[in-house]
């Protein structure tokens, strides 16, 4: 895609692009938010972590109020993300999870998610993102699914009280790793309203392991879609890549998001590229504007075929989240 980026509003009507703070961890939060506003992003995927609105440090309510004022001044909206690697356990990535064998450790993750819901309400955020975690060794599939459903019960109660949707992300290598798994959870929870239990759709994960192309995943997920993460990726390899370094054809994806009327943020997710965060944030918004312009242009070619089934390596969680 070449030529001058189009002025706002973007041609793909209704799309609002954001950038994840997990890709800007070398910046202070105020500086990160200022950067995104200067680049004309619409919002931010705010990962609660020790360097950005630490959810475990004192005076969370006051600090959240300060961030809310900063977002308002900058004209940014937010999604609250909960994928910080070591915020609860400094020695175990993403630990403890909702599947931990120890009920006290599971409860610690539940408390974090409930706190995230409270932060999201105070920020006026449009969703709280979460994921299941990896099935612990020696845990049966049925036990893991029961733990997940039981753990999410009080989180959904908090989300309902706050009016904030919970957006569960299928994550490669986790118990809940696919769109089909999301529907399994939905049924296990007696099919809550989509406004309460929703979906975080990561476009790269669709390319990595879903049987449908990413644009078709958007259409299939539309009724439950509450948050979108976006980056490039290759089939069968869970590695978040800058745009243009993978295999995804983005204009059809953005066209699908606009067509289904998605109103939330579409957040760039590059958690292992903080060393180049400011540059990648600038390059990413330029790429997305061009892709949005291409999505709005008359169709001149037939869309490609569905990707082949992902090899087993796609299930390896060790990628980049």
């Amino acid at each position: 895609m070449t030529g001058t980026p189009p002025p706002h509003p973007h041609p793909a009507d209704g799309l609002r692009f954001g950038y994840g703070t997990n890709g800007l961890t070398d910046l202070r939060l105020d500086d990160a938010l200022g950067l995104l506003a200067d680049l004309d992003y619409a919002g931010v995927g705010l990962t609660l972590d020790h360097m950005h609105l630490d959810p475990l440090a004192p005076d969370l309510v006051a600090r959240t109020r300060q961030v809310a004022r900063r977002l308002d001044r900058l004209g940014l909206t937010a999604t609250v993300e909960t994928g910080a690697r070591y915020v609860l356990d400094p020695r175990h990535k993403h630990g403890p999870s909702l599947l931990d064998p120890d009920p006290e450790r599971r409860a610690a993750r539940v408390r974090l998610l409930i706190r995230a819901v409270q932060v999201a309400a105070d920020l006026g955020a449009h969703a709280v993102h979460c994921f299941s975690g990896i099935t612990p060794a020696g845990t049966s599939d049925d036990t893991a699914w029961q733990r997940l459903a039981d753990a999410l019960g009080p989180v959904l109660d908090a989300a309902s009280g706050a009016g904030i949707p919970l957006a569960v992300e299928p994550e490669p290598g986790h118990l809940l790793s696919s769109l089909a798994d999301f529907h399994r959870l939905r049924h296990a929870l007696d099919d809550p309203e989509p406004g309460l239990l929703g979906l975080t759709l990561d476009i790269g994960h669709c390319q990595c392991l879903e049987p449908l192309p990413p644009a078709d995943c958007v259409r299939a997920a539309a009724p439950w879609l509450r948050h979108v993460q976006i980056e490039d990726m290759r089939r069968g390899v869970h590695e978040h890549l800058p745009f243009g370094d993978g295999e995804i054809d983005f204009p059809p994806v953005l066209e699908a998001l606009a067509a289904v009327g998605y109103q939330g943020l579409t957040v760039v997710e590059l958690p292992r590229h903080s060393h180049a965060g400011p540059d990648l944030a600038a390059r990413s918004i330029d790429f997305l504007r061009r892709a949005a312009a291409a999505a709005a242009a008359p169709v001149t070619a037939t869309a490609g075929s569905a990707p082949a089934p992902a090899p087993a390596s796609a299930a390896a969680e060790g990628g980049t989240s």
Side-chain angles (χ1 to χ4, degrees), residues 95-139:
S97 80
L98 297 172
L99 310 179
D100 197 285
D102 184 341
E104 289 301 318
R105 286 175 61 79
R106 290 200 301 276
R109 176 62 62 173
V110 170
R111 287 192 296 270
L112 176 67
L113 294 181
I114 291 173
R115 188 166 295 189
V117 169
Q118 295 166 344
V119 168
D122 290 343
L123 292 178
H126 69 81
V128 170
H129 148 279
C130 68
F131 45 56
S132 68
I134 300 170
T135 303
T139 301

Side-chain angles (χ1 to χ4, degrees), residues 86-264:
Y86 297 101
V87 69
L88 287 177
D89 185 333
R91 300 189 180 189
H92 298 94
K93 180 181 175 183
H94 293 153
S97 80
L98 297 172
L99 310 179
D100 197 285
D102 184 341
E104 289 301 318
R105 286 175 61 79
R106 290 200 301 276
R109 176 62 62 173
V110 170
R111 287 192 296 270
L112 176 67
L113 294 181
I114 291 173
R115 188 166 295 189
V117 169
Q118 295 166 344
V119 168
D122 290 343
L123 292 178
H126 69 81
V128 170
H129 148 279
C130 68
F131 45 56
S132 68
I134 300 170
T135 303
T139 301
S140 71
D141 194 57
D142 287 345
T143 296
W145 280 105
Q146 189 62 56
R147 283 180 190 164
L148 180 61
D150 290 346
L152 284 178
V155 183
L156 288 169
D157 288 343
S160 177
I164 301 290
L166 190 67
V168 180
E169 180 188 8
E171 181 78 20
H174 284 211
L175 173 70
L176 197 157
S177 64
S178 67
L179 289 175
D181 290 335
F182 169 75
H183 293 301
R184 176 171 178 172
L185 173 65
R186 196 166 56 80
H187 296 317
L189 291 168
D190 297 324
D191 201 13
E193 290 294 324
L196 179 59
L197 178 66
L199 179 71
T200 293
L201 189 69
D202 187 304
I203 301 302
H205 295 173
C206 295
Q207 176 69 21
C208 178
L209 54 70
E210 293 287 351
L212 294 174
D216 287 347
C217 289
V218 169
R219 287 183 278 269
W224 301 276
L225 202 55
R226 295 296 173 267
H227 182 43
V228 172
Q229 297 171 344
I230 193 165
E231 70 286 312
D232 219 338
M233 203 168 287
R234 301 186 182 99
R235 188 68 177 162
V237 182
H238 183 204
E239 181 181 5
H240 291 232
L241 299 172
F243 297 118
D245 288 358
E247 302 169 340
I248 299 175
D249 183 14
F250 285 95
V253 174
L254 300 184
E255 182 179 21
L257 285 169
V260 302
Y262 173 64
Q263 297 296 306

